Amino acid sequence: MGDGGVLDGFHIGFLPGGLGDLVSDFASEWGDVQITSRVWERQTADGHRVDLRLHVLRGPRLSDLDGLRDFLVDYHERELDDSQLMDFPHPDGPGRATDTQVFWLTEPGVAVTVLVDPEQFGQDDLFTVARGIVREREQAG
């Protein structure tokens, strides 16, 4: 599908084909973490369904990968235990992944997470989207 633009200093270099065409940006704060989000969704017979979510997270509790994981467990209200997680080496920093979510720390206090609807997209699409997200200054060079 192409380029997803820039979100809070991160260039979204790849979007898979078949994404819903309703795109919304949000800014919020939860647990002393600033969250900037972009959501791609589609209209369905039952309302709307989210295909892809991207969050840029900024806050002091995101000092390391464990702190990021703990924040995501609290934020999404679901456990992410080590049996569900695999290492995800992103060019910007260390990360972890499940079948539907990837998250990585770009520096202490700054992280990115990507979630997909497993009925629409597989892990390969998820990983391709995630690897295509880079800090804006790196993309411009």
Side-chain angles (χ1 to χ4, degrees), residues 28-115:
S28 61
E29 181 176 333
W30 194 90
D32 292 327
V33 172
Q34 302 294 318
I35 304 167
T36 307
S37 304
R38 182 164 296 158
V39 176
W40 288 262
E41 58 188 320
R42 69 183 62 242
Q43 190 154 2
T44 67
D46 300 325
H48 289 89
R49 185 169 184 120
V50 173
D51 289 332
L52 175 68
R53 288 182 283 163
L54 168 63
H55 305 289
V56 177
L57 312 170
R58 297 178 186 273
R61 74 184 279 190
L62 310 174
S63 60
D64 58 25
L65 203 51
D66 287 336
L68 172 57
R69 187 197 59 174
D70 293 345
F71 169 79
L72 292 172
V73 165
D74 291 345
Y75 181 69
H76 292 297
E77 297 181 345
R78 69 171 194 264
E79 189 57 47
L80 286 172
D81 65 48
D82 287 335
S83 69
Q84 296 173 289
L85 294 170
M86 65 188 84
D87 288 335
F88 180 78
H90 189 278
D92 281 349
R96 306 294 301 271
T98 69
D99 289 345
T100 60
Q101 179 178 14
V102 171
F103 56 91
W104 67 96
L105 199 66
T106 64
E107 63 184 70
V110 181
V112 178
T113 181
V114 180
L115 299 98

Side-chain angles (χ1 to χ4, degrees), residues 94-136:
R96 306 294 301 271
T98 69
D99 289 345
T100 60
Q101 179 178 14
V102 171
F103 56 91
W104 67 96
L105 199 66
T106 64
E107 63 184 70
V110 181
V112 178
T113 181
V114 180
L115 299 98
V116 295
D117 176 353
E119 292 182 20
Q120 294 292 326
F121 301 101
Q123 193 178 55
D124 287 345
D125 290 318
L126 172 65
F127 287 0
T128 302
V129 169
R131 286 188 181 106
I133 298 170
V134 295
R135 294 181 206 203
E136 192 174 15

